[in-house]
Amino acid sequence: MFYIFCPYCDERREEEEFHPSGQAHITRPADPENCSDEEWGDYLFFRDNPRGIHHELWVHRLGCRKFFNITRDTTTYEILETYPMGERPTVTAERAGVRQEQGVQTADGGWQTVGARPENSKLNEETPS
Amino acid sequence: MSEARSENSASNVAVFDTHPSDAIDAESPLHWSRQRGVIDAAAGEGQVTVVERPFLGHLILRGGAIVLDEAVRETLGVSLPGQPLGLNHDADGSRSVQWLSPDEWLVIVPAGEEFELENRLRAQLGDAHFAIVNASGGQTLLELSGEHAREVLMKSVTYDVHSHGLPVGKGVGTVFAKTSVNLRRPREDRFELVVRRSFADYCVRWLLDAGREYGLSVE
């Protein structure tokens, strides 16, 4: 069970009162009409699945019913910070290097898993037997 | 239902009195429970008592704290709780204002006062950015008192209901059994449960079960 600090109620509550709503800080493409299918697909369907630090959106559904963000370590389940909407996290995984080290799987061009994109597109095609 | 337009108000919001003009028997949210014999007034030794307070006026106010505070002070004589989870009462304790979320407050007034209060608030607030919703029909209030009231709650809610967790003048939204509750403590020896009307029967059944060992009675 988590014991979550709600930044609006200003105190810790049981996890039962909350509900997770997925990855935080997802920005909608500024010009949806003119963005690529890949960009739009990433925005709609693809989410990070990191091993390590992850920023999540939660809602205090049985308390103040406000959405807020949680920075959580997905390997230890430790909640590193909670912060209200509109703010940026103070605890972040370092870019690139650490992310790679941690085995972070980032949504990139529709490929969820690092290294999943085949070097040769023919590898993905079914071979007639 | 009589329709009326709030006078003096620059807004063109249509408001109406939810109370019928003719005398019609209203059924409290626990009417069905009484009819079905769930509630037996004679049972229980009264170490814990649940009293239903039906038909109170519940208004949800939304908007900026400063604007609303001024208007509520002017019309109700109670200041808006500035701190999260605050609960303020007027002098005789029959009208209350509770913090629900950073931009949302619950006002509970005696039955029949809510329409007049809503009109006065609208007139007072004028063009400000706000919303007032009459939630009287959607929720009801149960009062829990008696020396073992806290033990009954300890079995029912996840929140810490001890005086250091829930002191007098605090109200929290939390989990009650398998539903939600707005739990308030207006006095040291009394808890108030604001529950959904449709869940009133469920909550009372749960309280009867949880309070059986303390001889809980429902009035």
Side-chain angles (χ1 to χ4, degrees):
Chain A
M1 282 290 283
F2 286 135
Y3 198 42
I4 300 171
F5 182 85
C6 171
Y8 296 107
C9 292
D10 208 18
E11 63 179 27
R12 287 175 194 280
R13 299 290 186 86
E14 298 280 340
E15 184 186 347
E16 225 180 317
E17 296 183 13
F18 298 87
H19 191 75
S21 300
Q23 188 184 336
H25 307 302
I26 293 170
T27 39
R28 185 184 163 93
D31 186 6
E33 299 288 322
N34 297 313
C35 74
S36 67
D37 283 355
E38 196 170 292
E39 220 178 314
W40 188 247
D42 275 354
Y43 162 69
L44 277 188
F45 304 115
F46 289 90
R47 299 292 178 259
D48 293 350
N49 183 20
R51 186 187 304 144
I53 286 173
H54 190 35
H55 306 292
E56 294 170 338
L57 191 63
W58 285 67
V59 58
H60 192 186
R61 61 179 180 146
L62 293 178
C64 57
R65 309 193 305 292
K66 292 285 176 202
F67 282 86
F68 62 98
N69 301 303
I70 290 182
T71 303
R72 189 170 67 87
D73 192 316
T74 56
T75 52
T76 62
Y77 270 44
E78 185 187 2
I79 293 176
L80 300 161
E81 63 170 338
T82 60
Y83 50 101
M85 296 305 291
E87 287 187 12
R88 301 301 303 176
T90 55
V91 183
T92 50
E94 293 300 315
R95 292 293 146 201
V98 178
R99 286 170 78 87
Q100 207 61 41
E101 241 168 70
Q102 286 182 329
V104 175
Q105 300 172 346
T106 47
D108 181 19
W111 294 94
Q112 264 288 31
T113 314
V114 173
R117 188 195 287 268
E119 261 109 84
N120 189 334
S121 61
K122 281 190 182 136
L123 291 174
N124 251 15
E125 284 162 18
E126 273 189 50
T127 42
S129 54
Chain B
M1 289 174 198
S2 58
E3 279 209 30
R5 207 158 273 266
S6 52
E7 295 132 32
N8 315 326
S9 171
S11 73
N12 53 0
V13 177
V15 292
F16 68 93
D17 191 354
T18 51
H19 286 274
S21 46
D22 304 317
I24 298 173
D25 283 344
E27 287 179 354
S28 91
L30 288 179
H31 176 82
W32 190 83
S33 322
R34 290 182 209 283
Q35 201 183 37
R36 292 291 293 259
V38 174
I39 296 169
D40 182 3
E45 299 102 69
Q47 288 187 62
V48 183
T49 320
V50 175
V51 185
E52 186 198 8
R53 300 273 179 227
F55 315 125
L56 296 178
H58 299 242
L59 292 181
I60 304 275
L61 311 184
R62 299 202 65 173
I66 295 166
V67 195
L68 282 180
D69 180 45
E70 203 174 301
V72 169
R73 233 185 256 263
E74 197 71 34
T75 50
L76 209 60
V78 186
S79 64
L80 219 60
Q83 293 299 311
L85 312 175
L87 171 68
N88 289 351
H89 280 86
D90 71 347
D92 70 345
S94 57
R95 295 166 189 82
S96 63
V97 187
Q98 186 194 352
W99 184 96
L100 289 185
S101 81
D103 57 359
E104 192 174 0
W105 287 267
L106 171 66
V107 178
I108 298 187
V109 292
E113 284 186 17
E114 69 272 18
F115 182 57
E116 194 226 334
L117 175 67
E118 183 183 341
N119 280 336
R120 270 162 48 211
L121 279 171
R122 285 193 187 280
Q124 187 77 29
L125 286 160
D127 273 339
H129 185 60
F130 71 97
I132 301 175
V133 178
N134 186 343
S136 312
Q139 50 197 32
T140 188
L141 196 143
L142 300 173
E143 266 179 20
L144 190 67
S145 55
E147 57 174 316
H148 292 294
R150 189 162 67 86
E151 277 89 336
V152 175
L153 278 180
M154 279 159 66
K155 296 200 280 186
S156 316
V157 300
T158 57
Y159 198 78
D160 178 11
V161 290
H162 189 274
S163 294
H164 61 230
L166 190 67
V168 175
K170 189 172 178 181
V172 296
T174 186
V175 183
F176 176 91
K178 292 190 179 182
T179 180
S180 61
V181 69
N182 190 348
L183 182 65
R184 303 135 54 95
R185 193 167 196 178
R187 295 212 315 247
E188 188 63 39
D189 58 346
R190 177 180 294 170
F191 296 92
E192 285 178 352
L193 290 81
V194 180
V195 296
R196 305 253 170 232
R197 182 195 172 97
S198 50
F199 277 84
D201 177 63
Y202 171 79
C203 292
V204 159
R205 281 168 189 260
W206 179 283
L207 284 170
L208 280 167
D209 190 41
R212 191 177 298 157
E213 59 176 302
Y214 309 112
L216 181 136
S217 60
V218 180
E219 285 171 22

